[in-house]
Amino acid sequence: MDLEVESDDFVGWTGRPIKCEINVLSKPEGSCIFSQGGTVVMAALYGPHEIKHGKIQTEETPAFQMSYRSKKGPPSNESRSLEELIKTACESVVFTRTFARHELTLVVQEMQNCGGILSCAINAGCLAMINSGVDMQHLVLAVTACLTNDNRIVVDPDESQLKSAKMSMEVAFDSELFNVIMVNSQGTSSVEEYQNTIGKCRESARILKEYFKSVVKKYAEALL
Amino acid sequence: MDLAAEPCFNQPEEVCKKINPKKYLKDHLSQGVRPKDNRRLFSYRSVVGNVNFIKNCCGSSIVKIGSTTVICGIKNEVTSPSKRFQNKGLLDIDCKLSDHCNVSLNHKNRVVLLKQCVSLLQKLFIGLKIVDLESLCIAKGELVWLLKADIVCLDYDGGFWDAAVMALHLALSSTKLPVIEYSPENERFVLQENTLVDLPVGKFPLATSFGVFQDFVFTDPSFEEEQLCSSFFVVVVQDNAVKITQKRGGYPISDVKLMECINVAASRYKIMEDVIRAILENR
Amino acid sequence: MIDNEEIEDMLREIRKNEKDAGKRISLADLAPQGQKSVSLYERKKREMANRRGRTDGRKDDDHRPMFIQLGTVSDARGSCYVEIGDTKVVVSIRGPKEIPNLKEYTEMCEIECLIEYAPFANSPTTNEGYMCHAVRQALEPAICRHEFPNFQIAVSAFVIEDRGSVLSAIINGASLALTHARLPCFGIVSSVIAAVCDDRILMDPEYEEEAYCQAAGKADSCGLVTLSYMPDMEQITFYEQNGYLAEPLKMVEPLVKKCQEIHKICIQHALKEAKSSVNVLAATQDATNSVKSLKV
């Protein structure tokens, strides 16, 4: 069953080519392998399963466990903060009221990092959630962008572009109103430049949504 | 109605707050005011600061935002530099909450809060070169300064990030390091205790945190508000330039709100810069 | 752009530095030759040997100026900030709350004490755990413990800067914080430390004086005496002696006298705070009364 979808057909996507395959693993409820250019990430979602003794779920914060495995060695500060960002972005879209006293576990494995790992991981997490059939309020679509020294905005830059950029940001949008769920930016930019970059990211997120749709469509056709 | 007739309802506001804190906050915010201190959505608590009040540190500061109190002390040590960066000194930043802080903050939340804060400070001060590590070099490949900056929160009432950034910047700006020179006749480095030089520090970065509660966004949340907020949006500005922004998950905010936040943060910079200058001149 | 790897590298280097003590270079090693490493401690030693006055120009029985502020910590039940000279301490009181995992009925209220030193303060001259024990002993007789069976009161102290006499600062602060917390007490405890060297009695010693008197064992009598006293009941709540003293009982009288002096200062501050809080209460009472009289 060939479930691979490529982004070549999507007019307007200015970033690196996207490739993805869902339902790659048999054990977890949902899984996907997602790549943007050279950056490849694998995500798997387990659950909902019952919460083990001792943990209590509060009314609104879902019991959502997340582990991000980086390619090399023990978790560093950097990968821990990435984990926290991915976790908060992904858990905010889950419709948790429907499974009280149950928790979800999302595992994201970095396979290869050529820049933009955070947005890639969030997208992979979202696709894994779609694949598992967990109730979601909306999708989460993440885009990386950077501002080069000559004030050009590059959407989905590669590693060398990121290194030389004066500002870089990762933004995650919801798929309904395209409001900002998560934003993480670092570097120097003026307020207008900041606004323009977010605008560009939003445009790309709209295309990304179409891409996600086509993935789901192809998967549904294969199921039939 | 005679209020005294029903003793448990003699303070109806308090009761409402206990029963449904979210509605209580929402009702206030939809009227454009905040509970407890009657602030507007985009107004701040008062800021007080002082520097160099700890004698055995080479730089120290205390910052109070409302009743949030943060102390920062810097100790200096000398060490040999790392092999990869021969001409760069070391700056170790650490955050801590003292026992006085609100106990209802559970352990896991504390650890997460502190880790996030440390990584923000590292990105800001080291990554964006507010302190140039090369200025901490005494002799290339031989001797560099190791500055240990410890930030301690004495009283936690929300807005820890803002206070921590301000405290660290004040402490670094007030840091005075003794001169160490190589003396050829003794063939060793000699410390000149009495000649002190200022540490060159970049311009003041202003961190402003916004609480996101449902559709509402407001500045400088207090602890009570912080507990109800689904997420925070932290903006660091320096001289009209946006340096770092961070929002982690939670309720999505619209583009208009986001830009409003950034403009609010940027428009406060001029005033706060004067405040910081006044604190540093007063020492 | 931010180079995250560079930051990671630097942190790794710092952690390595902490473990590897051989790599560390102390600032004293870099002092110019000739006047090599004349630390404050050495200076103090000479001064004591020559029987001259004290470094800060005080007389032997002078106490350093004190600064007291009640209600520094906003969300604690009671709190107090004490400054003795350059020594700065914040004390806060929480509770009474139930003792967790209680096995059997405890008739008296427990006092839990925690002392924390700021990372940038001088390292403590006495063990923190021991200091906790001392504070607990000094306060226990003063609190009406029988009123709270099965409960505990938590006293936590944070030392911002240690320039000597920390223990007495904490005891004074804790006792005032108890009054600020409106917990029933028999009286306010005040405490004083004295450093003894031969026949000199130095009240309220500085950090170096403390260190010297604890370390020097050669003199005839040498050591530290801590006393806390409750003038309302005319009781000594805590007495501790460290080192060798020729006539220990001779120490008690001057220390008690000093405690009474400090007690007067403490009482003033406690009264001032109580008065202002009564005024606030009266004001709110007036406000509620006027609201009632509106008869909506």
Side-chain angles (χ1 to χ4, degrees), chain B residues 33-101:
Chain B
V33 281
R34 314 265 284 271
K36 206 171 168 187
D37 50 2
N38 293 331
R39 274 187 289 157
R40 300 255 141 213
L41 291 190
F42 285 134
S43 57
Y44 306 88
R45 290 175 286 178
S46 60
V47 177
V48 188
N50 190 18
V51 288
N52 271 346
F53 73 112
I54 300 174
K55 298 284 163 7
N56 55 6
C57 289
C58 64
S60 59
S61 68
I62 178 166
V63 170
K64 269 188 100 152
I65 298 183
S67 53
T68 300
T69 313
V70 169
I71 295 180
C72 178
I74 294 174
K75 292 217 118 180
N76 54 342
E77 284 176 21
V78 277
T79 181
S80 44
S82 65
K83 289 196 178 65
R84 197 170 144 208
F85 302 106
Q86 299 260 313
N87 59 344
K88 283 189 178 173
L90 306 167
L91 173 63
D92 189 9
I93 302 170
D94 199 13
C95 288
K96 209 175 158 192
L97 293 179
S98 75
D99 288 331
H100 300 303
C101 292

Side-chain angles (χ1 to χ4, degrees), chain C residues 142 175 179 185-190 229-235 260 263-264 267:
Chain C
S175 180
T179 63
C185 288
F186 294 111
I188 294 177
V189 181
S190 47
Y229 181 70
M230 194 166 29
D232 302 315
M233 309 295 280
E234 292 182 357
Q235 275 178 357
Q260 280 165 339
H263 180 76
K264 274 178 198 146
I267 284 278

